[in-house]
Amino acid sequence: MYPAELVKPMREDLTKVGFEELHTAEAVDAALAKEGTTLVVVNSVCGCAAANARPGARMSLQNAKRPDHIVTVFAGVDKEAVDAARGYMVPFPPSSPSMALFKDGELVHMLERHHIEGRPAELIAENLTDAYNEYC
């Protein structure tokens, strides 16, 4: 587990633009039970989360179509919530950072770490906005 003071600015990178933090399995279940579309970002302390994933997720929200709900769990911190979120992402293996778009609780789009690492934030945002345009 990472110290709270270390991850605070990494959490705020998403919460300051409206992402709701989920800390328990029950919170994940409730978020994914909501009607409409939900983007789940599995946040991480790694460099690709800082340089690519979080900026890409934030940029994607500038799109005309966007998810009804945006939530985040933090790998290495919120173990119960991360495990629950990853359970909804099967058959994709666990990875962090990662992003998943759900529609009415069904996984419809997935970005794994290998889709994020080494790719510019703009490309990640474009990938997400394409998914929003299709599903939202």
Side-chain angles (χ1 to χ4, degrees):
M1 297 299 235
Y2 298 104
E5 62 274 4
L6 173 73
V7 300
K8 184 177 188 274
M10 298 172 205
R11 289 181 183 276
E12 291 172 348
D13 224 5
L14 295 177
T15 59
K16 71 181 178 189
V17 295
F19 279 83
E20 175 189 358
E21 289 184 300
L22 307 178
H23 303 286
T24 66
E26 293 79 18
V28 171
D29 293 341
L32 293 177
K34 293 179 180 175
E35 286 187 26
T37 51
T38 304
L39 176 67
V40 178
V41 174
V42 179
N43 203 348
S44 173
V45 298
C46 70
C48 65
N52 314 89
R54 291 191 300 266
R58 288 192 319 265
M59 280 188 251
S60 75
L61 299 177
Q62 302 307 309
N63 194 48
K65 289 187 177 182
R66 53 178 278 175
D68 299 309
H69 316 283
I70 52 175
V71 300
T72 182
V73 295
F74 208 111
V77 179
D78 300 318
K79 181 176 176 13
E80 180 186 335
V82 171
D83 288 348
R86 287 178 173 160
Y88 286 95
M89 297 174 190
V90 171
F92 295 96
S95 69
S96 52
S98 61
M99 302 176 198
L101 183 66
F102 295 85
K103 184 169 186 169
D104 298 327
E106 178 186 339
L107 179 64
V108 293
H109 187 75
M110 183 76 189
L111 278 172
E112 298 174 84
R113 180 185 176 106
H114 69 88
H115 297 122
I116 296 168
E117 194 170 31
R119 290 182 172 76
E122 294 81 8
L123 189 60
I124 293 161
E126 181 181 324
N127 180 297
L128 289 171
T129 58
D130 286 347
Y132 302 164
N133 291 337
E134 182 174 350
Y135 297 106
C136 296

